[in-house]
């Protein structure tokens, strides 16, 4: 069904756009301007209890432990320092409870429309069904201890009701009571790093430089930090937005996607750090830039070394360090890495991998794209040019810290792609889309396996059917007259409310400030696109020419709106 065109969630619209962007009932950022950050722990916070092994949970979940580090700052990506806070069940001291495998998510109540909407969202079991290696903290900026205690007691009562409604076992009740913390300290006065984080955030929000000029859309101030987190690497993450989509209220039910994403990112980065025998070829090396498109010429290993590799992965790490999320890019754009077939001029390109950028999200995205099937394009080695597109060139410039690299290795458990030929590309999905000729390709006699490899996603929203972003578009290839299984969207139904949010385990960064949670056709905002690989060896005679045809359809009818981004290759292995 059609989707709203507005991309801002309700509390962003209430709190952020235009000069008078704050909730009139909420404490103004200027109220915190005199509060100075203090990242250190309380001198009487106490030491860890050696009699309790808080890392036992890590062993139970087979998660590696990391040691606690000294804090380094209060910005997104900085190492978070120690803290102690008071809860309904007593004090919680981070160092004394450090396990080495958990993340820590903080919810802050700011009185007013958006704060009331969030803290009025009942526990529905989402937190209890999420990852177990996380602590949740619920706090308030209300001035009196009585008000904060009443709010904490109300939330604790909701938790107990959820236990009863969901028939939670006694063991699980004990576990979650130890991992959901109802804070009685005033949020901005928490002793240590979370209190300091909030004070610095609100101090900066009151300064002129905190505002972002969005041109004809007005000036955007900072939203209130209803959620922020310390991830498994002990670094700050903003969390940003707890609304699942445009037109919906913020909800605690979206919170478990944060630790799911932190688990994904930790596992990926640990894998890369532990990997041996990998040749890394940087294209962007921790480059601070407002640019979007780069052409880089690098030197690959020589042909003999390239012949040994069976794996090509594209390592993409993009960080928006801004304190105001509106200083980050706001749209779900196509981003990709391509080989320049004609050298630095790069007018002829071969797409190697694609991802979709997230909506307005601070923090660090990290993707690893498998391009092993296209290694044949690089077998010659030596000097090669690549085009990196982090988004369209015409997009509003915002600053990123970008790292993009090729990773070449020999896994030993995969065939080596020897060659690839681009057969088809996409285009405007209209009545002329299928006006294309068959593709003819000579398959080498030495080929032992042949695949059709496609990178496919649909974009744009045509009136009436919302094609090709939200509609059921299908794609059929044939090889020497035999039709292959039709390519269709798989997984959650297109448009399902949280289908993309459920992909946090695969790299979709939660907390995007837009229509991010619903499922798109073939893709999600803030996620890498997986190539589709179809074995067509049985339909090919090595040493002879093969004929490939292709056509797209809206369901079973003619193409009907939007755009198809397609790179379809014939790939052979030797």
């Amino acid at each position: 069904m059609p989707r709203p065109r507005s991309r801002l969630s309700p509390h962003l619209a209430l709190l952020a756009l235009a000069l008078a962007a704050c909730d009139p009932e909420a404490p103004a950022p200027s109220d915190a301007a005199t509060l100075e950050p203090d990242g250190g722990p309380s001198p009487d916070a106490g030491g860890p209890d050696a009699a309790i092994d808080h890392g036992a949970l890590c062993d139970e979940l087979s998660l590696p432990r990391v040691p606690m580090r000294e804090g380094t700052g209060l910005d997104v990506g900085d190492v978070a320092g120690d803290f102690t806070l008071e809860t309904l069940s007593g004090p919680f001291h981070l160092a004394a409870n450090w396990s080495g495998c958990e993340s820590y998510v903080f919810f802050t109540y700011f009185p007013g429309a958006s704060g009331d909407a969030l803290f009025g969202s009942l526990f529905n079991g989402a937190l209890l069904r999420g990852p177990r290696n996380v602590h949740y903290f619920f706090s308030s900026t209300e001035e009196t201890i009585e008000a904060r205690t009443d709010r904490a007691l109300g939330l604790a009562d909701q938790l107990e009701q959820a236990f009863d409604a969901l028939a939670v076992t006694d063991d699980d009740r004990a576990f979650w009571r130890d991992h959901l913390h109802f804070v009685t300290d005033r949020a901005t006065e928490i002793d240590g790093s979370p209190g300091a984080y909030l004070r610095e955030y609100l101090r900066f929000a009151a300064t002129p430089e905190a505002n972002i000029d969005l041109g004809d859309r007005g000036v955007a101030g900072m939203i209130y930090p209803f959620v922020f987190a310390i991830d498994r690497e002990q670094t700050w993450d903003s969390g940003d937005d707890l609304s699942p989509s445009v037109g919906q209220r913020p909800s605690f039910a979206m919170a478990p996607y944060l630790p799911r994403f932190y688990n994904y990112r930790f596992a990926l980065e640990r894998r890369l750090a532990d990997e041996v025998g990998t040749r890394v070829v940087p294209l962007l090396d921790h480059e601070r830039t407002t640019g979007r498109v780069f052409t880089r010429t690098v030197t690959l290993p020589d042909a003999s070394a390239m012949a040994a590799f069976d794996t090509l992965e594209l390592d993409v790490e993009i960080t928006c360090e801004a304190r105001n999320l509106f200083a980050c890019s706001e749209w779900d754009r196509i981003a990709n890495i391509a080989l320049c077939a004609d050298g630095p001029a790069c007018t002829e390109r071969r797409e190697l991998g694609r991802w979709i950028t997230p909506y307005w999200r601070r923090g660090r995205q990290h993707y690893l794209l498998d391009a092993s099937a296209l290694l044949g394009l690089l077998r010659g080695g030596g000097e090669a040019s690549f085009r990196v597109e982090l988004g369209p060139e015409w997009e509003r410039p915002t600053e990123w810290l970008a790292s993009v690299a090729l990773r070449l290795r020999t896994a030993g458990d995969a065939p080596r792609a020897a060659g690839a030929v681009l057969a088809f590309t996409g285009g405007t999905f209209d009545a002329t889309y299928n006006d294309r000729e068959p593709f003819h390709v000579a398959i080498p006699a030495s080929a032992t396996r042949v695949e059709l490899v496609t990178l496919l996603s649909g974009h744009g929203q045509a009136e009436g059917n919302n094609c090709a972003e939200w509609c059921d578009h299908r794609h059929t290839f044939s090889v020497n007259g035999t039709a292959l299984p039709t390519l269709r969207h798989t997984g959650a139904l297109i448009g399902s409310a949280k289908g993309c949010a459920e992909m946090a385990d695969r790299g979709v960064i939660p907390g995007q400030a837009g229509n991010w949670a619903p499922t798109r056709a073939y893709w999600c905002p803030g996620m890498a696109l997986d190539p589709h690989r179809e074995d067509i060896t049985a339909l090919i005679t090595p040493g002879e020419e093969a004929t490939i045809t292709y056509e797209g359809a809206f369901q079973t009818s003619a193409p009907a709106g939007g755009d198809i981004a397609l790179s379809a290759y014939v790939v052979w292995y030797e």
Side-chain angles (χ1 to χ4, degrees):
M1 61 183 293
R3 298 283 169 178
R5 292 301 301 151
S6 172
R7 302 295 180 124
L8 286 179
S9 59
H11 74 270
L12 293 182
L14 286 167
L15 292 171
L17 292 178
L19 284 168
C22 61
D23 188 328
E25 298 182 30
S30 58
D31 293 344
T34 59
L35 296 174
E36 295 299 325
D38 175 10
S42 168
D44 60 349
D49 185 346
I52 301 176
D53 179 12
H54 293 282
L57 175 66
C58 309
D59 300 336
E60 175 188 329
L61 300 176
S62 299
L63 298 174
R65 308 189 196 190
V66 297
M68 187 172 174
R69 299 185 282 173
E70 292 290 332
T72 63
L74 300 173
D75 285 327
V76 169
D78 288 343
V79 177
D82 199 4
F83 64 85
T84 298
L85 47 75
E86 289 294 332
T87 75
L88 291 177
S89 56
F92 180 95
H93 177 207
L94 179 62
N97 288 274
W98 184 258
S99 68
C101 70
E102 295 176 296
S103 52
Y104 306 85
V105 179
F106 298 83
F107 307 107
T108 308
Y109 175 67
F110 291 89
S114 296
D116 291 345
L118 173 59
F119 276 74
S121 64
L122 300 176
F123 287 103
N124 65 357
L127 296 180
L128 311 183
R129 291 190 293 268
R132 294 171 73 86
N133 62 323
V134 60
H135 288 264
Y136 296 107
F137 300 86
F138 302 82
S139 65
S140 171
T141 60
E142 292 166 297
E143 292 188 7
T144 67
I145 183 64
E146 292 81 11
R148 298 194 301 273
T149 301
D150 284 347
R151 187 165 304 282
L153 287 169
L155 291 169
D157 184 60
Q158 290 181 32
L159 174 62
E160 296 301 318
Q161 292 177 38
F163 285 158
D164 293 339
L166 298 170
V168 176
T169 67
D170 288 345
D171 285 347
D172 280 347
R173 291 182 189 224
F175 175 86
W176 285 112
R177 285 175 185 139
D178 193 46
H179 283 74
L180 277 77
H181 309 278
F182 304 100
V183 181
T184 55
D185 289 329
R186 193 178 188 191
T188 51
E189 296 170 2
I190 290 173
D191 190 6
S193 63
Y197 178 94
L198 286 171
R199 294 196 297 272
E200 174 59 14
Y201 188 103
L202 295 174
R203 182 204 66 78
F204 180 77
T207 64
E209 59 265 34
N211 298 317
I212 302 298
D213 187 354
L214 298 179
D216 59 4
R217 289 177 290 171
V219 176
M222 292 170 67
I223 68 169
Y224 284 96
F226 295 107
V227 60
F228 60 93
I230 300 172
D231 67 13
R232 285 181 58 186
E233 293 283 3
Q234 201 187 327
T235 61
W236 293 112
D237 181 67
S238 61
D240 276 347
D241 192 1
L242 288 175
S243 297
S245 185
V246 172
Q248 298 185 31
R249 302 192 309 176
S251 170
F252 290 138
M254 300 305 293
Y257 297 115
L258 290 168
R260 284 174 63 173
F261 174 75
Y262 301 148
N263 285 341
Y264 152 83
R265 191 170 62 189
F266 182 93
L268 170 60
E269 293 172 355
R270 175 58 63 95
R271 193 210 104 175
L272 296 181
D274 292 345
E275 202 170 79
V276 296
T278 298
R279 180 69 176 268
V280 179
V281 182
L283 302 180
L284 300 176
D285 192 5
H286 292 88
E287 192 159 327
R288 193 174 301 280
T289 179
T290 58
R292 290 293 182 268
V293 178
F294 309 84
T295 300
R296 295 293 162 86
T297 299
V298 298
T299 301
L300 300 174
D302 62 23
S304 62
M306 290 296 300
F309 297 125
D310 58 24
T311 302
L312 168 63
E313 293 171 313
L314 312 175
D315 187 2
V316 178
E317 188 173 358
I318 308 293
T319 304
C320 179
E321 298 177 318
R323 289 182 172 180
N324 185 334
L325 71 85
F326 294 103
C328 301
S329 293
E330 64 262 44
W331 295 106
D332 49 341
R333 307 292 192 192
I334 293 176
N336 62 16
I337 300 168
L339 172 69
C340 301
D342 55 349
C346 211
T347 58
E348 187 178 350
R349 299 186 283 271
R350 299 292 180 264
E351 186 178 29
L352 300 176
R354 182 188 312 168
W355 70 99
I356 309 298
T357 64
Y359 298 98
W360 269 315
R361 180 55 158 91
R362 294 173 293 168
R364 187 170 82 256
Q365 314 154 50
H366 200 169
Y367 315 112
L368 194 66
L369 291 69
D370 183 9
S372 300
L374 300 178
L375 249 175
L377 295 172
L378 309 182
R379 288 298 184 196
E383 189 173 276
S385 297
F386 297 86
R387 184 178 188 268
V388 178
E389 182 172 334
L390 304 181
E393 290 182 288
W394 45 261
E395 189 174 41
R396 178 173 65 93
T398 57
E399 185 174 274
W400 281 335
L401 184 65
S403 293
V404 176
L406 313 178
R407 296 179 66 91
L408 297 156
R409 62 189 174 93
T410 303
D413 58 356
R416 291 177 173 84
V421 177
L422 180 65
F424 297 103
T425 58
T428 302
F429 201 51
D430 60 12
T432 67
Y433 183 79
N434 290 323
D435 293 346
R436 57 182 80 230
E437 296 296 321
F439 181 77
H440 305 282
V441 56
I443 304 298
S446 57
T448 58
R449 176 183 173 91
V450 185
E451 292 179 343
L452 182 71
V453 178
T454 56
L455 293 168
L456 170 67
S457 55
H459 305 269
Q461 298 184 45
E463 185 175 354
N465 61 17
N466 274 340
C467 241
E469 182 173 345
W470 298 98
C471 78
D472 178 14
H473 53 88
R474 306 176 189 180
H475 306 267
T476 303
F477 295 86
S478 70
V479 180
N480 291 330
T482 300
L484 301 179
T486 296
L487 285 181
R488 297 184 58 178
H489 169 85
T490 58
L493 292 176
I494 298 167
S496 61
K498 295 181 182 177
C500 282
E502 289 293 334
M503 304 297 278
D505 304 298
R506 291 182 50 193
V508 171
I509 186 168
Q512 299 175 45
N515 209 22
W516 72 279
T519 309
R520 267 57 166 198
Y522 300 88
W523 60 274
C524 288
M527 193 178 81
L529 190 74
D530 289 332
H532 179 82
R533 298 170 62 171
E534 187 77 25
D535 184 356
I536 59 174
T537 309
L539 304 177
I540 296 290
T541 301
E544 296 184 6
E545 184 178 80
T547 299
I548 317 292
T549 64
Y550 161 62
E551 64 177 22
F554 167 48
Q555 297 176 349
T556 58
S557 303
D563 297 282
I564 301 297
L566 170 72
S567 294
Y569 296 90
V570 178
V571 173
W572 58 91
Y573 300 79
E574 295 177 351

